[in-house]
Amino acid sequence: MKPINEYTNETILSAELIAEVFAENDKMKREELLAQLGARARTLRCKTEFTNMVKTYQAVKKEAQAQERSSQKNRTNLLDCPLGCQLDSGMWRVTDGGIFYDSDRICYQPILITARFRNIETGEEQVELAFKRRGNWEKVIVPKTVVASANKIVGLSGKGVAVTSETAKYLVQYLSDIENLNEDIVPMLDSSHKLGWVKNCFVPYDSQKVIFDARSNYSQLYDSVCEQGNYDVWLKHIRELRKSGRIEVKFMLAASFASVLIDPLGGLPFIADLWGETEGGKTVTLMLAASVWANPDESKYIGDFKSTDVALEAKADVLNSLPMILDDTSKTSARIRDNFEGVVYDLCSGKGKSRSNKNLGVNRENHWANCILCNGERPLTSYVNQGGAINRILEIECGEKVFANPQKTVPILKANYGHAGRRFVEIIKEMGVDRIRAIYEEIREKLYDASKMEKQMASLATVLTADKIVTDMIFGDQQYIPIDQAKEILVNHIDLSDNERAYQFLLEKVKRNPSRFTQSGSGKNASSLVSNEVRCEQWGIIEKDLVYFYNSSFEELCNDGHFSKKAFLSWASRKNLILCDNSKGRKTKQKKIGNSNIRCICLKLDLEMWDGGFQSVPDVGVQEVLPFYEVTGRNGR
């Protein structure tokens, strides 16, 4: 180079001069030359142009170096690569000591993408990362969006990945290169966040075809679905229990197996409820049902109602075909207790609620096809009123001491489980849907009773189909659930009809509340046992075998019993249980009360139920009180 003072505007801005400066290997000498040239450029009033020339040259040189590095064919140098072969690492050097970029280490551990997954339901992709920690390879499945974002990939530090906010952008670029340079080596597999039937495969048993990709969110549930202990020990003990003839054991066991038949048979989810007094063996029976598929220990596979409806929906979606087992219906959260009927409908519909997202679109709907097993000291139907909900429940009363020696049964179940579920899935695959459906149709024909509900018969037929298959091909003990005994579970149309129950409810209200009605023509209360010192709000008038309800009182009674006034009156009109004026299709009838004509609901009394008229009541203190009662003293004061 010539002396600095000899450079002019033209020569100081030449590319040759800049190249000559950057050819200097000594960094201190190079910086000194740049400073002197910068001062000369300021004197020549071209400092800005000179600075831009230097920056441009640095950018071009860096890009050239990057292209040169990318053209290099580096390969990982690992002692035990999880994929069984070394991968193309491009410009990155990967050893057991970490990942290097030039001479800089960007990560203190080797990390590889060992598998890619495409979710069958959503189409979204995930990747399996393998990283070495304390000499051992560990794996984690994460959404692809995590490894594509420097902000999100930092979160993997919680999983044991050595990444910081400073190295995150390099790790993102490295993983992108590893995936794209090794597409023919890193496998692309089908995956699902559901257990059970997925595309004619059964997760997790067909893991070579479909992978469960939601383990990070449901690790406790997924890890419990496994095989442990000795199948023969479990089988021998269950045969002994079945020989006792207890319907509770055989039915809940069959319902657990039946859960995976609902989807092949095109059925709807249903609830199998075991109820009875404490110490009967209800919880142990649920553990027995759970041991077919998973670990029956506390806080493993078995859950409870101490949750939210959204959480139950999410769990049902993941279980998909496997039974959802919930212990003790009395352990309900406030949200579920206030809407138990809605929860029953939702679980038995097999489909979750539609929910919008922040983009004003609709999220994927949850769906499932399984059986829900539960227990409690009260029947589940005591928590619900509508017939549609009751129609989806099969109830078994738990007698005393189901298990002669529960202290022997529980340890066996906790140590030996999960084998029967895999065996049952293999059996139904071998049988095929047509053969299973033939068994189902034969059993349903035997169950058919015009007085019973169709949905309940279909659910019960599914349970009995599973019972026949496992009795013949797993237990081989001829301990079938008797058809006649199974029929006792079914509910009659009359008992299940909302309107039938509404009619009985109203008659009971009339019978138990004589002081609320006046006998026509007497002007007195229908019960002579009610003190004249107390006058209650009147609901209507009784005239022979007819009850005239005031409109507002009738509506309040219907609301009190959670019945639809409109639906009941329509049904009662068809059944000829009400008298009404035919004009304008009204369901009311005019009644002269005092000097006024009032439109009332005129209900016919069921004389068989009435059986002697009003109940005797000892005094007003035992009179049933409703929220809208108005009690006044003598003369209205």
Side-chain angles (χ1 to χ4, degrees), residues 520-567:
S520 179
S522 69
K524 297 180 179 180
N525 288 344
S527 173
S528 61
L529 297 176
V530 178
S531 170
N532 290 329
E533 296 295 321
V534 176
R535 181 169 57 84
C536 300
E537 178 188 301
Q538 296 295 287
W539 290 351
I541 295 175
I542 293 180
E543 185 179 79
K544 296 182 180 178
D545 59 348
L546 300 176
V547 180
Y548 290 89
F549 286 96
Y550 300 132
N551 230 321
S552 59
S553 298
F554 185 84
E555 186 165 354
E556 288 173 338
L557 284 171
C558 287
N559 291 337
D560 183 46
H562 304 288
F563 298 109
S564 167
K565 172 187 174 183
K566 183 176 180 180

Side-chain angles (χ1 to χ4, degrees), residues 6-25:
E6 295 182 9
Y7 286 100
T8 64
N9 289 64
E10 292 77 15
T11 57
I12 202 170
L13 297 178
S14 65
E16 292 79 7
L17 174 61
I18 304 299
E20 186 178 355
V21 173
F22 278 94
E24 176 62 55
N25 293 324

Side-chain angles (χ1 to χ4, degrees), residues 577-591:
L577 292 175
I578 59 173
L579 296 181
C580 51
D581 296 331
N582 294 325
S583 61
K584 299 182 181 179
R586 288 175 172 167
K587 298 296 188 294
T588 57
K589 186 171 179 63
Q590 279 195 347
K591 176 66 177 174

Side-chain angles (χ1 to χ4, degrees), residues 183-240:
E183 282 192 334
D184 55 337
I185 299 176
V186 180
M188 173 67 82
L189 305 172
D190 285 336
S191 69
S192 175
H193 61 276
K194 290 174 171 289
L195 297 169
W197 296 112
V198 179
K199 270 195 170 180
N200 298 322
C201 297
F202 198 93
V203 181
Y205 303 145
D206 294 328
S207 57
Q208 70 279 8
K209 297 179 181 178
V210 180
I211 304 295
F212 183 75
D213 61 17
R215 186 170 181 174
S216 59
N217 294 329
Y218 299 95
S219 58
Q220 177 179 300
L221 183 62
Y222 177 78
D223 291 343
S224 70
V225 182
C226 61
E227 295 156 74
Q228 181 71 32
N230 191 300
Y231 179 39
D232 292 332
V233 171
W234 182 88
L235 197 60
K236 179 181 178 182
H237 188 67
I238 302 305
R239 283 172 177 159
E240 292 176 0

Side-chain angles (χ1 to χ4, degrees), residues 78 94-99 107-112 130-132 137:
L78 301 168
V94 184
T95 69
D96 290 298
I99 304 168
C107 187
Y108 282 88
Q109 60 191 175
I111 303 175
L112 299 173
F131 55 96
K132 210 166 193 178
W137 285 99

